[in-house]
């Protein structure tokens, strides 16, 4: 006999299932029915617990964002480490370990994609990018250009990883871009001037 889950455990189970479902189908292609099926619960239960599909997706997106921001903040906790030119490589390593969970990577991408057509998700994506930029500038003391470069390279890295560019490096253009996905010459190293 299976033990009865608490409400918090059921909520967590549904959020994990929603992460997998949204990762596969995107925001537009994933219904609350699909999430319920993935979680092994009824669709009305999902709606009762989370409200709209947009609310559910935002919670899934926010979880992915929190995991990234929390991991970066932990890496930047020591002011000496944060001020070191090596910090960008270290943050790149932190990010690479987080997106080993492909669902996290794809949910982030799905959030940016869904933001184009959904104001609520666009607001969540803006909050994330703003928080990331602020964290980088405040903790590392870098100039705004360096923070923008790191974020831009991270966006490129997301796209390359999502399309499995590293597995198709026989194409010279993809090979050049895939160097970034492999952590080489991707803005994670300190610029020459530092």
């Amino acid at each position: 006999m299976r033990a009865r889950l608490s409400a918090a455990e059921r909520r967590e189970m549904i959020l994990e299932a929603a992460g997998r479902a949204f990762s596969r189908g995107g925001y537009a292609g994933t219904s609350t029915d699909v999430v319920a099926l993935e979680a092994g619960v009824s669709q009305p239960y999902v709606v009762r617990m989370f409200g709209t599909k947009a609310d559910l997706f935002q919670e899934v997106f926010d979880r992915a964002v929190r995991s990234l921001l929390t991991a970066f903040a932990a890496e930047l906790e020591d002011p000496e480490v944060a001020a070191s030119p090596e910090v960008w490589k270290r943050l790149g390593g932190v990010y690479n370990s987080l997106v080993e969970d492909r669902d996290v990577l794809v949910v982030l991408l799905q959030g940016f994609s869904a933001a184009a057509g959904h104001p609520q998700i666009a607001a969540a994506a803006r909050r994330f990018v703003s928080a990331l930029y602020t964290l980088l500038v405040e903790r590392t003391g870098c100039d705004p250009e360096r923070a923008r470069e790191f974020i831009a390279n991270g966006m490129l890295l997301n796209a390359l990883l999502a399309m499995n560019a590293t597995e198709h490096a026989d194409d010279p253009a993809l090979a050049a871009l895939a160097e970034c996905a492999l952590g080489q010459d991707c803005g994670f190293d300190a610029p020459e001037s530092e």
Side-chain angles (χ1 to χ4, degrees), residues 54-88:
D55 292 337
L56 175 58
F57 181 83
Q58 183 180 334
E59 285 209 38
V60 170
F61 180 77
D62 286 347
R63 281 170 51 118
V65 163
R66 270 192 310 277
S67 67
L68 190 146
L69 291 174
T70 299
F72 277 9
E75 190 64 33
L76 297 170
E77 196 169 306
D78 179 345
E80 229 174 272
V81 170
S84 162
E86 290 293 307
V87 72
W88 304 106

Side-chain angles (χ1 to χ4, degrees), residues 87-159:
V87 72
W88 304 106
K89 186 174 278 188
R90 291 175 70 134
L91 289 173
V94 167
Y95 184 77
N96 286 337
S97 68
L98 281 172
V99 298
E100 285 177 7
D101 177 349
R102 189 159 173 83
D103 290 342
V104 170
L105 166 71
V106 178
V107 162
L108 288 171
L109 285 170
Q110 296 290 358
F112 292 122
S113 174
H118 202 287
Q120 178 181 347
I121 298 167
R126 286 191 304 271
R127 282 191 302 273
F128 163 56
V129 172
S130 177
L132 176 57
Y133 175 85
T134 301
L135 177 70
L136 293 172
V137 171
E138 288 179 355
R139 295 280 181 93
T140 69
C142 72
D143 61 35
E145 183 179 334
R146 183 68 178 121
R148 284 191 303 265
E149 178 184 70
F150 184 80
I151 293 169
N153 285 331
M155 295 291 190
L156 174 61
L157 177 61
N158 283 352

Side-chain angles (χ1 to χ4, degrees), residues 11 13 21 28 32 42-43 52 75 81 85 89 91 108 113 123 130 152 173 188 192:
R11 180 178 186 76
M13 178 189 71
T32 53
S42 72
Q43 187 269 351
T52 67
E75 190 64 33
V81 170
K89 186 174 278 188
L91 289 173
L108 288 171
S113 174
S130 177
F188 296 140
E192 296 297 319

